[in-house]
């Protein structure tokens, strides 16, 4: 629903440069998968899009204007961990969205609006298959259920852009496939722009409409942190190329972590 | 099929409990490392009671020996003497003032204690959250609180008595000043330890600084705050008794230090036990309060 334009983005921590010369334009409704070796800055890039961190230089435009340098309801986020509020039950976690949005100084809505929010939350719980867990605290939910709750909560916030930071990284393979289907369905329903960071190349190819590879192109053997990573490969996928083993192998070689066969299996699932 | 090394009781429970359909697999008795050996509920109760029993027995023997030599010995009174002295204070009105001394003392002391700790708790909550959550307030107040933390509160006592007079204000202030800085720092630390993911997420859901304090920070630090109060009650009693010992006309600490002049161990010992009891009950109530207010933080107890 909202486009993202990044031009000449650079990010350094002191002397260490993490990202450099990052240019990318994502149209509204695209699903971007970001892959790359560990520590190559793809999560940093996501945190910049979230507003948790600021770029050292360059332009980031989200929607109609420059990015607001703090997290806002325009951009929703699901982290790998700590994504739901442990002191609230599943239901309360979802109600919190409306409470924050229009609860005023008490951070709580009352009366008819609360009833409406409750209905909406019930529907969303049922949608992600958590209706039976509405009164449980996150500590007694499994990892997959927690992530489903986190996604439901984020979607209730109606973000224009959904940011996912390795959302399924801590889940079992079987649960992961389930979550892929759920996410694909929800993305089709809501049509927001999605940016997902993942270690799993198969997942990147399966879910994304576009795969971006982050890597370092310049190396200084005397001072390894002199140069940062940039986008080295930008692959648009359609139905035909989606499962192309050629592309998969190429990206797997660039990232250098996952074996192509496992990635193929994930993509096919 | 009694297997060597397996006790008869294990055998009985396994065959009796599950029936004969499932073949009971003999479990060899393994000698676990000390750190892995579990303690059953009964033996935990027994082990926990042992030190109390030990102290009681040592006291009874020592007291009986002294009293056998000199029946009017005041240093180690018998339980009967202590009980009658305690009962006198609790039920017989004082000849001069007509008060029931124990209850007057208890009321006065608890009022001071709770007022002092209450003020400190409020300060810990408001200042701690502000320091932990808002960088500008942290820059403004954290160095000051850190320095105040290391001032020995008892050294401030004369200053408080001079500045605030010998009344209640000085005593309550001493307790509050004594425990508040540590509590403020602790709560501030706890707030700073909140996962940044949660704070970011709350913002993406539309929370502003104030509503995030209400809906995220406050409930998250509540269990820690109650733990803080529990830990602070120890020093709080110390400051209370110190303040009462120096300038007071009633209170548990005042009474103990008053009767010290007459070597009235038969009053001092029950008073110390009474104070201990009050402290234990307060602590237990706080644990229950924490469980009631933040069930999510006590998953084991809730089950």
């Amino acid at each position: 629903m909202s486009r993202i334009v990044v031009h000449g983005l650079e990010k350094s921590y002191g002397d260490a440069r993490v990202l450099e010369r990052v240019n990318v334009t994502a149209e509204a409704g695209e699903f971007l998968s970001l892959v790359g070796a560990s520590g190559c800055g793809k999560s940093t890039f996501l945190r910049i899009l979230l507003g948790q961190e600021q770029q050292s230089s360059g332009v980031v435009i989200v929607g109609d204007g420059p990015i607001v340098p703090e997290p806002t309801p325009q951009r929703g986020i699901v982290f790998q961990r700590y994504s739901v509020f442990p002191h609230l039950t599943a239901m309360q976690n979802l109600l919190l969205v409306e409470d924050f949005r229009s609860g005023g100084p008490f951070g709580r809505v009352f009366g008819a609006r609360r009833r409406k929010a409750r209905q909406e939350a019930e529907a969303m719980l049922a949608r992600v298959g958590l209706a039976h867990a509405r009164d449980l605290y996150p500590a007694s939910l499994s990892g997959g259920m927690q992530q489903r709750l986190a996604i439901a909560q984020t979607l209730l916030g109606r973000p224009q852009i959904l940011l996912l930071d390795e959302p399924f990284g801590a889940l079992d393979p079987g649960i992961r496939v389930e979550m892929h289907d759920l996410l694909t369905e929800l993305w089709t329903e809501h049509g927001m722009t999605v940016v997902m960071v993942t270690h799993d190349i198969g997942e990147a190819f399966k879910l994304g409409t576009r795969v971006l590879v982050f890597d370092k192109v310049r190396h200084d053997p005397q001072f390894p942190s002199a140069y940062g990573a940039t986008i080295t490969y930008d692959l648009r996928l359609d139905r035909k190329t989606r499962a192309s083993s050629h592309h998969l192998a190429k990206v797997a070689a660039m990232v250098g972590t996952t074996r192509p066969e496992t990635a193929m299996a994930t993509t096919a699932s | 099929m009694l297997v060597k090394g397996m006790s008869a009781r294990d055998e009985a429970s396994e065959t009796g409990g599950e029936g004969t359909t499932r073949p009971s697999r003999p479990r060899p008795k393994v000698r676990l490392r000390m750190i892995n050996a579990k303690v059953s509920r009964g033996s935990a109760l027994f082990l926990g009671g042992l030190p109390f029993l030990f102290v009681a027995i040592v006291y009874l023997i020592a007291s009986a020996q002294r009293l056998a030599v000199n029946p009017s010995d005041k240093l180690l009174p018998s339980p009967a003497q202590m009980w009658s002295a305690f009962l006198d204070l609790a039920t017989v009105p004082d000849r001069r003032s007509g008060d029931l001394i124990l209850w007057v003392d208890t009321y006065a002391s608890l009022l001071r204690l709770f007022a002092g700790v209450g003020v400190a708790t409020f300060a810990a909550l408001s200042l701690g959250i502000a320091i932990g959550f808002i960088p500008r307030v942290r820059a403004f107040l954290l160095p000051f609180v850190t320095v105040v933390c290391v001032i020995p509160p008892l050294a401030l006592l004369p200053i408080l008595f001079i500045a605030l007079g010998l009344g209640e204000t000085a005593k309550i202030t001493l307790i509050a000043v004594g425990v508040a800085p540590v509590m403020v720092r602790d709560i501030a630390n706890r707030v700073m330890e909140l996962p940044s993911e949660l704070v970011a997420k709350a913002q993406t859901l539309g929370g502003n600084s104030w509503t995030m304090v209400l809906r995220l920070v406050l409930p998250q630090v509540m269990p820690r705050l109650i733990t803080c109060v529990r830990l602070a009650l120890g020093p709080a009693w110390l400051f209370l008794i110190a303040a009462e010992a120096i300038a007071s006309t009633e209170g548990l600490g005042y009474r103990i230090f008053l009767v010290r002049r007459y070597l009235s161990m038969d009053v001092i010992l029950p008073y110390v036990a009474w104070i201990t009891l009050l402290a234990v009950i307060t602590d237990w109530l706080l644990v229950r309060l924490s469980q009631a207010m933040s069930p999510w933080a006590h998953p084991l107890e809730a089950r």
Side-chain angles (χ1 to χ4, degrees):
Chain A
M1 285 188 272
S2 208
R3 57 200 296 258
I4 303 171
V5 180
V6 175
H7 184 74
L9 179 135
E10 213 176 279
K11 176 72 185 173
S12 330
Y13 297 102
D15 273 347
R17 186 168 291 180
V18 180
L19 292 169
E20 58 181 21
R21 296 180 298 159
V22 176
N23 301 303
V24 63
T25 303
E27 294 305 325
E30 273 195 297
F31 194 131
L32 267 58
S33 297
L34 312 186
V35 294
S38 294
C40 71
K42 51 192 192 302
S43 283
T44 306
F45 181 66
L46 197 78
R47 281 202 296 276
I48 292 173
L49 289 184
L50 173 62
Q52 216 181 3
E53 289 188 33
Q54 276 71 53
Q55 69 269 30
S56 306
S57 68
V59 184
V60 180
I61 292 168
V62 175
D64 303 324
I67 190 168
V68 183
E70 63 177 1
T72 67
Q74 182 190 33
R75 291 154 273 152
I77 177 85
V78 175
F79 294 103
Q80 183 176 359
R81 288 164 63 226
Y82 301 121
S83 250
V84 286
F85 299 97
H87 62 283
L88 299 172
T89 63
M91 185 67 185
Q92 289 168 338
N93 258 293
L94 295 191
L95 284 177
L96 183 69
V97 180
E98 185 63 24
D99 282 345
F100 268 147
R101 183 164 40 210
S102 43
F106 298 107
R108 198 178 276 276
V109 290
F110 299 99
R113 268 154 82 194
R114 185 155 202 86
R115 278 194 297 279
K116 190 165 161 288
R118 191 171 280 277
Q119 278 170 7
E120 219 177 306
E122 296 269 12
M124 185 53 100
L125 271 180
R127 178 68 192 81
V128 297
L130 287 175
H132 61 287
R134 59 192 298 267
D135 294 322
L136 293 180
Y137 286 103
S140 38
L141 300 179
S142 70
M145 289 161 88
Q146 282 187 32
Q147 286 309 77
R148 269 188 275 168
L149 182 61
I151 291 173
Q153 189 181 39
T154 304
L155 287 181
L156 273 184
R158 295 195 280 276
Q160 295 166 18
I161 291 165
L162 177 60
L163 305 172
L164 306 168
D165 192 356
E166 294 181 41
F168 314 129
L171 304 183
D172 295 334
I175 308 284
R176 216 183 263 211
V177 173
E178 234 173 73
M179 299 293 294
H180 290 164
D181 297 342
L182 177 69
L183 181 60
T184 309
E185 285 167 29
L186 290 172
W187 172 59
T188 321
E189 281 167 33
H190 294 256
M192 63 271 177
T193 315
V194 182
V195 182
M196 176 178 75
V197 166
T198 178
H199 271 300
D200 184 342
I201 293 167
E203 187 174 275
F205 272 83
K206 182 183 174 188
L207 297 178
T209 58
R210 204 168 150 191
V211 175
L212 303 177
V213 181
F214 278 72
D215 202 1
K216 284 188 181 184
V217 282
R218 301 191 287 175
H219 292 275
D220 183 344
Q222 312 299 327
F223 182 28
S225 58
Y227 298 116
T230 185
I231 296 174
T232 55
Y233 194 57
D234 181 348
L235 179 67
R236 281 167 204 281
L237 300 168
D238 53 43
R239 287 282 161 224
K240 267 179 287 174
T241 56
R242 176 148 294 201
S244 147
S245 55
H246 165 68
H247 289 300
L248 253 172
K250 194 167 169 187
V251 170
M254 294 174 99
V255 176
T257 47
T258 316
R259 282 189 221 91
E261 314 89 71
T262 17
M264 273 307 281
T266 310
T267 314
S269 67
Chain B
M1 48 162 272
L2 201 77
V3 177
K4 201 176 167 187
M6 188 174 173
S7 76
R9 217 187 49 194
D10 282 346
E11 176 76 0
S13 70
E14 281 196 30
T15 50
E18 293 295 317
T20 47
T21 47
R22 214 181 63 179
S24 61
R25 204 158 54 85
R27 260 184 310 162
K29 207 175 171 76
V30 186
R31 218 184 136 72
L32 296 174
R33 281 186 203 94
M34 263 205 295
I35 56 161
N36 292 328
K38 297 272 186 301
V39 184
S40 76
R41 221 184 142 77
S43 50
L45 224 64
F46 172 71
L47 286 174
L50 271 185
F52 293 98
L53 204 67
F54 177 75
V55 171
I57 289 174
V58 167
Y59 180 86
L60 285 179
I61 293 172
S63 158
Q65 275 177 350
R66 282 189 75 103
L67 287 171
V69 176
N70 172 15
S72 58
D73 175 62
K74 298 192 82 173
L75 283 193
L76 298 179
S78 73
Q81 288 170 325
M82 287 193 277
W83 178 246
S84 80
F86 186 68
L87 220 56
D88 272 1
L89 290 171
T91 55
V92 179
D94 184 44
R95 253 171 286 155
R96 194 142 44 94
S97 60
D99 293 330
L100 295 172
I101 286 177
L102 175 73
W103 305 114
V104 170
D105 285 347
T106 306
Y107 177 74
S109 285
L110 287 185
L111 207 63
R112 290 167 190 148
L113 186 79
F114 290 147
V117 172
V119 169
T121 307
F122 181 74
L125 204 56
S126 44
L127 284 180
I129 287 180
I131 290 173
F133 207 45
I134 305 168
R136 204 168 287 164
V137 179
R138 189 181 314 152
F140 175 51
L141 283 180
L142 191 58
F144 182 72
V145 171
T146 311
V147 169
V148 169
C149 239
V150 297
I151 301 176
L154 284 182
L156 293 178
L157 188 54
I159 303 175
L160 293 176
F161 277 143
I162 293 169
L164 302 172
L166 298 177
E168 297 301 296
T169 326
K171 296 180 196 93
I172 293 171
T173 311
L174 175 71
I175 296 171
V177 169
V179 296
V182 181
M183 291 173 76
V184 171
R185 277 182 83 184
D186 197 47
I187 293 299
N189 274 332
R190 179 70 189 84
V191 174
M192 283 188 269
E193 280 166 12
L194 281 180
S196 62
E197 285 94 339
L198 286 186
V199 181
K201 174 112 186 196
Q203 294 178 71
T204 64
L205 297 179
N208 61 36
S209 300
W210 171 243
T211 51
M212 277 194 289
V213 166
L214 281 184
R215 299 301 311 273
L216 172 65
V217 180
L218 207 54
Q220 291 257 347
V221 298
M222 207 37 102
R224 184 67 213 167
L225 182 76
I226 292 178
T227 308
C228 249
V229 173
R230 288 174 63 195
L231 294 174
L233 274 168
W237 275 103
L238 167 73
F239 300 134
L240 172 75
I241 288 172
E244 286 181 345
I246 292 172
S248 192
T249 52
E250 75 284 285
L252 298 166
Y254 161 75
R255 193 70 49 197
I256 290 178
F257 276 80
L258 179 74
V259 300
R260 182 192 61 92
R261 296 174 200 163
Y262 316 114
L263 287 181
S264 291
M265 288 290 269
D266 56 342
V267 173
I268 295 176
L269 288 176
Y271 255 62
V272 172
W274 177 242
I275 290 172
T276 311
L277 182 70
L278 291 175
V280 168
I281 291 175
T282 320
D283 191 64
W284 181 80
L285 284 176
L286 284 170
V287 173
R288 295 308 302 269
L289 180 70
S290 181
Q291 285 170 357
M293 284 180 78
S294 321
W296 58 275
H298 309 272
L300 274 176
E301 290 95 323
R303 229 170 265 156

